[in-house]
């Protein structure tokens, strides 16, 4: 491995090629129009001395043990994140999948520089009571635009983040379910009085079904549907809600078709059994089912289109709502705006939550899920118009540069290269999988996974883990084959070492 005078850490092949060209300066990236490093720059260990000093300072005032390093966002650019010690890292993790165009994209900076937009940012409204005059048009022209909204979902409720989106979507589902039981009748005196002391009939015992390995957030209701890591749930009271098995497939998929089909059937049968048990034995009928198109935090666990089609059929059969959580998969990383579009569902999901790449949170839903009364789903901000400004700029770039097509092309390129590496290092990595650039592979053990992620960091690659053994890749939509080659040079070197 060569290290040139600017500390660019690259593989032998890549370094030699660039050193011959005399490349030691910043280069304008044609993809984003911003200035990116030509390659990773590793000047210190990571975290470096300045990061460690800042961590000590932060830890004195709050719990900060999850901090990996301190970033310099003023200097970060495109697909590269800069830290405070001068390291430039190719970021294939992108703030846990929440940066669609990378860092400091000119279109986003330009939107923030607009004097009209500055007044929107400066005067943040309580949207539920005092929205601005242009708010209906912004919703229709940005979030409900034909190429953005999930097909078949015409209503939207905006929120702040993924957790509060799911939390309030549960409320919408419970309200919808109760309205069906009430058959349009007004609230009774008994319901009004009993709900104030958390008792029936005003506080009915309904439930939300979720899946083993799921992650839907850390707020109280969401935690009862989150089952990925114990540290999220320890010491927190939870609802007695049903938990079904999510399919655990054998890889490669093409060599295990029959076994995986049987796994789908096993999990759907369990869903059916839980619907019946919670209705008849527990007296806590399932009002809704929440599921991720790909279980991200739980380990990038995939399920087939047939599984999701059958799940929708069973959910509808039992009169419950299907809520698809697209907080991490939404916004384009799978090659479609929404991952569930890959599944060819017979009808739209009843509710679909989003956040991360969409900059603000919220959920799309069918008209039937709009409450009849005001204040039933409400908080002070109900979203953030300033984030819709950024989202509008993002969506324009996605469309202008055909980024969803790029994601599909680059994702295919990455999966091919990863499968080649898997064949070369079958004792180290396995189960390569993904849609678009939403990609993961497993390591032989959790200790090996952690070692690979740390080794990649020393070579200037910021990656992430999920589940117990997976390395996950969450690059920006602007990620290209050139960036992928830099990543593969580093990964190949790590696997050889």
């Amino acid at each position: 491995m060569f290290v040139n005078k600017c500390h660019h850490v690259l593989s032998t092949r890549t370094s030699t090629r660039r050193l011959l060209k005399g490349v030691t300066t910043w280069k304008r990236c044609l993809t984003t129009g911003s200035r990116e490093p030509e390659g990773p720059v590793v000047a210190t260990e990571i975290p470096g001395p300045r990061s460690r000093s800042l961590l000590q300072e932060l830890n004195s005032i709050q719990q900060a043990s999850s901090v990996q390093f301190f970033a310099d966002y003023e200097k970060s650019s495109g697909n590269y994140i800069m830290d405070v010690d001068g390291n430039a890292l190719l970021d294939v993790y992108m703030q846990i999948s929440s940066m669609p165009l990378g860092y400091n994209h000119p279109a986003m900076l330009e939107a923030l520089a607009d004097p009209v937009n500055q007044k929107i940012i400066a005067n943040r409204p309580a949207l539920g009571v005092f929205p601005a005059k242009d708010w209906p048009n912004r919703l229709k022209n940005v979030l409900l635009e034909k190429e953005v909204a999930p097909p078949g979902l015409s209503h939207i409720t905006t929120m702040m983040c993924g957790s509060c989106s799911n939390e309030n979507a549960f409320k919408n589902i419970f309200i919808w379910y109760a309205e069906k039981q009430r058959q349009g009748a007004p609230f009774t005196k008994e319901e009004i009085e009993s709900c104030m002391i958390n008792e029936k009939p005003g506080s009915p015992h309904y439930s939300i079904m979720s899946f083993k390995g799921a992650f839907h957030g850390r707020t109280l209701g969401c935690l009862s549907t989150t089952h990925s890591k114990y540290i999220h749930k320890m010491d927190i009271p939870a609802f007695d809600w049903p938990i079904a098995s999510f399919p655990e497939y054998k890889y490669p998929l093409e060599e295990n078709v029959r076994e995986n089909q049987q796994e789908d059937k096993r999990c759907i049968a369990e869903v059916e059994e839980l619907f019946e048990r919670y209705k008849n034995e527990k007296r806590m009928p399932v009002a809704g089912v929440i599921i991720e198109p790909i279980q991200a935090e739980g380990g990038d666990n995939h399920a087939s289109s047939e599984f999701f089609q059958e799940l929708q059929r069973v959910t509808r059969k039992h009169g419950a709502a299907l809520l698809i959580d697209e907080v991490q998969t939404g916004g384009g990383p799978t090659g479609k705006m929404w991952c569930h579009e890959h599944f060819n569902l017979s009808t739209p999901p009843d509710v679909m939550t989003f956040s991360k790449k969409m900059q603000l949170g919220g959920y799309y839903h069918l008209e039937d899920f709009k409450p009849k009364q005001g204040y039933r789903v409400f908080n002070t901000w109900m979203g953030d118009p300033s984030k819709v400004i950024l989202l509008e700029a993002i969506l324009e770039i996605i469309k202008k540069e055909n980024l969803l097509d790029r994601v599909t092309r680059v994702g295919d390129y990455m999966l091919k290269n990863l499968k080649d590496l898997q064949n070369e290092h079958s004792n180290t990595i396995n189960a390569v999988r993904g849609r678009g650039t939403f990609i993961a592979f497993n390591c032989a053990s959790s200790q090996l996974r952690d070692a690979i992620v740390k080794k990649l960091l020393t070579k200037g690659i910021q990656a992430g883990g999920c589940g117990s053994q997976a390395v996950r890749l969450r690059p920006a939509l602007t990620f290209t084959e050139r960036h992928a080659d830099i990543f593969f040079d580093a990964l190949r070197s790590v696997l050889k070492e």
Side-chain angles (χ1 to χ4, degrees), residues 202-355:
S203 293
H205 291 178
Y206 299 150
S207 63
I208 298 287
M209 188 186 300
S210 54
F211 290 82
K212 296 172 184 176
F215 181 90
H216 299 294
R218 296 178 176 86
T219 50
L220 196 60
C222 289
L223 270 179
S224 290
T225 63
T226 288
H227 317 290
S228 52
K229 292 179 181 176
Y230 77 87
I231 200 66
H232 301 148
K233 297 171 67 70
M234 183 64 68
D235 301 328
I236 312 300
F239 296 116
D240 178 15
W241 288 353
I243 309 165
S245 294
F246 192 89
E248 295 182 20
Y249 290 157
K250 293 182 178 179
Y251 288 85
L253 295 176
E254 59 274 13
E255 296 176 11
N256 296 281
V257 174
R258 186 175 62 84
E259 292 90 339
N260 292 337
Q261 287 175 342
Q262 287 300 117
E263 178 68 356
D264 280 352
K265 290 178 182 178
R266 180 187 74 83
C267 293
I268 290 296
E270 193 173 311
V271 170
E272 285 266 25
E273 189 271 332
L274 285 168
F275 263 112
E276 294 295 339
R277 182 147 60 92
Y278 269 73
K279 178 182 178 182
N280 298 319
E281 293 179 25
K282 297 221 175 225
R283 308 293 181 187
M284 193 182 294
V286 176
V289 175
I290 184 169
I291 191 168
E292 300 156 272
I294 301 170
Q295 285 189 332
E297 298 297 322
D300 266 36
N301 306 315
H302 290 246
S304 67
S305 297
E306 292 76 17
F307 171 82
F308 281 95
Q309 292 163 11
E310 192 66 9
L311 177 66
Q312 184 180 51
R313 184 193 67 78
V314 171
T315 303
R316 188 184 296 119
K317 168 187 167 184
H318 289 276
L322 178 60
L323 164 54
I324 294 187
D325 177 349
E326 293 254 21
V327 168
Q328 191 160 150
T329 52
T334 68
K336 292 184 181 291
M337 196 66 192
W338 307 107
C339 185
H340 77 265
E341 293 181 77
H342 290 283
F343 301 150
N344 297 315
L345 299 177
S346 60
T347 60
D350 299 293
V351 185
M352 191 212 77
T353 51
F354 63 87
S355 189

Side-chain angles (χ1 to χ4, degrees), residues 184-203:
F187 305 140
T188 66
K189 182 174 184 291
E190 184 184 12
E191 285 177 320
I192 291 171
E193 292 177 350
S194 61
C195 80
M196 299 303 291
I197 53 174
N198 304 333
E199 292 183 358
K200 290 182 177 182
S203 293

Side-chain angles (χ1 to χ4, degrees), residues 92-112:
V92 296
Y93 191 48
M94 279 291 157
Q95 307 290 322
I96 322 176
S97 196
S98 65
M99 299 285 286
L101 304 181
Y103 299 97
N104 288 313
H105 193 284
M108 298 175 74
L109 297 179
E110 184 179 345
L112 293 173

Side-chain angles (χ1 to χ4, degrees), residues 23-39 77-80 104-107 109 480 482-483:
V23 177
T24 57
T25 58
W26 302 95
K27 175 185 176 184
R28 181 168 293 275
C29 176
L30 297 178
T31 300
T32 64
S34 63
R35 298 178 70 84
E36 283 192 348
E38 176 67 13
S77 180
N79 288 274
Y80 287 83
N104 288 313
H105 193 284
L109 297 179
T480 67
R482 183 179 69 83
H483 298 113

